[in-house]
Amino acid sequence: MAKGCGYALVSVVFVVTVLAGTLLVYVTSGPAATVAAVLLAVIGLCGVVVVHDLRRRRSAADEERVLLAREREHVKRTVDLVTDPGLSERERLVVIDSFIPRLGLGASRAAYRDRFVLVPELSPPARALLERGRRAVMSVYTSQVMYQRLLDGLANEVLLPRQIWEIALLLRVQTQLQHEQDRAMRGVVTPELRAVLEPQQEALRRSVASVTARVQSLERYARRVQEADAALRAQAALADNDKYRALLAHTDDADGMRELEAHGDALEQTLAKSVREAIEAGRTLSLRPAAP
């Protein structure tokens, strides 16, 4: 509103100035000069209008970008999604934008329905299993051995997101099939119906057990990473050994100094072993494709 009033005031001042200038030119230089002055004034006014319109459009575009960025962040905070890591950045933004009501892109979400999983749509046991996997992955991402790039980059940057995506996809299918089983079991259950459902239920149980095993593999990997972190902390504490050596030297405790040095050497080996075991645990995670 204030900008609009400001532009209106500038326009009025410009018109008044042009009229006053035109009158002055007419009085001092005659009709021909007046016509030229009017043409120049019109051209100048057109330039002012064009500049004003460009600024207005640029301002509106900047405001839209800021608003869209804020809305996307809101979606990321409030909509619990697991997305296919194979999505391009443009495709990922299309999915996010489909959850912004004012954009009216809800229909486009259907085209990507197989590329994301809405976590609230999963059954409570499935959500709990997915959360276990997510916690394990997050503990790896926030570890010191990850920060210092001591782990296998493939396992962390490619394999872990793919694992979580495949687990979420399988859990969604299991949730849907469990709903079908629950509906089929309502009412009278005949021997014929049970004969049909029991093999399906067994297949579902086997699938749940398989996904549970994959989550447990992630948790074992995270545990190895935590152990490697503990070894790193212990190694950092070795920096204080000089103080303790000095203390032992003052007390003439040669045996104690030898034990302290031996402990430091053993700790170095422990660190190397912990990191190796963490890397090996990561390599046991498979890239098997998820079931459709």
Side-chain angles (χ1 to χ4, degrees):
M1 185 68 179
K3 285 184 178 179
C5 292
Y7 286 130
L9 180 59
V10 169
S11 299
V12 170
V13 171
F14 181 81
V15 170
V16 171
T17 303
V18 168
L19 290 176
T22 300
L23 180 61
L24 180 62
V25 170
Y26 180 81
V27 171
T28 58
S29 304
T34 301
V35 171
V38 169
L39 289 175
L40 289 174
V42 170
I43 293 171
L45 181 59
C46 289
V48 170
V49 171
V50 169
V51 170
H52 165 62
D53 186 60
L54 288 175
R55 287 181 176 176
R56 182 182 60 80
R57 289 174 182 270
R58 188 177 297 113
S59 176
D62 290 341
E63 290 175 359
E64 172 62 20
R65 280 194 294 271
V66 171
L67 176 60
L68 185 58
R70 188 180 303 122
E71 289 172 329
R72 284 171 173 169
E73 285 302 316
H74 178 73
V75 170
K76 293 175 185 177
R77 289 194 307 269
T78 59
V79 180
D80 196 358
L81 285 173
V82 178
T83 57
D84 183 350
L87 285 173
S88 66
E89 181 62 17
R90 184 193 67 81
E91 291 171 328
R92 190 178 66 84
L93 290 178
V94 168
V95 172
I96 292 174
D97 290 349
S98 70
F99 288 92
I100 300 176
R102 74 175 181 88
L103 297 181
L105 299 176
S108 66
R109 193 183 308 164
Y112 291 92
R113 193 65 186 92
D114 293 332
R115 308 296 299 277
F116 71 89
V117 172
L118 267 174
V119 176
E121 292 180 351
L122 300 178
S123 67
R127 288 199 299 271
L129 200 55
L130 178 63
E131 182 57 29
R132 283 172 56 186
R134 282 172 147 181
R135 281 200 303 268
V137 169
M138 186 54 62
S139 72
V140 173
Y141 284 154
T142 56
S143 66
Q144 280 298 308
V145 285
M146 172 73 172
Y147 177 74
Q148 296 184 25
R149 307 191 67 83
L150 298 176
L151 298 177
D152 189 340
L154 175 64
N156 294 308
E157 297 170 13
V158 177
L159 191 55
L160 295 183
R162 174 60 59 182
Q163 281 283 318
I164 292 298
W165 163 242
E166 291 179 357
I167 288 169
L169 203 56
L170 284 165
L171 290 173
R172 182 172 69 182
V173 175
Q174 291 169 1
T175 295
Q176 293 167 348
L177 293 178
Q178 186 60 59
H179 287 330
E180 292 179 5
Q181 290 290 314
D182 293 342
R183 286 194 299 269
M185 292 293 288
R186 291 172 187 162
V188 176
V189 179
T190 64
E192 293 81 6
L193 177 59
R194 193 179 299 279
V196 172
L197 296 183
E198 284 182 350
Q200 296 177 349
Q201 291 169 348
E202 176 60 21
L204 185 56
R205 283 193 292 270
R206 290 174 67 89
S207 177
V208 170
S210 177
V211 173
T212 302
R214 294 180 75 168
V215 171
Q216 290 170 342
S217 293
L218 286 174
E219 291 174 329
R220 283 194 296 272
Y221 178 40
R223 176 64 181 174
R224 293 296 189 188
V225 170
Q226 292 167 1
E227 290 171 356
D229 259 12
L232 273 183
R233 293 194 300 273
Q235 185 185 49
L238 279 177
D240 291 333
N241 270 9
D242 288 342
K243 301 175 185 177
Y244 295 95
R245 288 194 188 98
L247 177 65
L248 293 173
H250 283 303
T251 56
D252 294 326
D253 189 347
D255 291 339
M257 291 182 66
R258 281 193 295 270
E259 289 177 6
L260 196 62
E261 290 171 357
H263 178 70
D265 294 339
L267 186 57
E268 290 289 348
Q269 296 174 5
T270 300
L271 172 62
K273 180 174 180 290
S274 297
V275 173
R276 283 198 307 272
E277 289 177 348
I279 292 174
E280 288 302 320
R283 287 173 178 166
T284 63
L285 303 175
S286 70
L287 278 171
R288 294 166 296 178

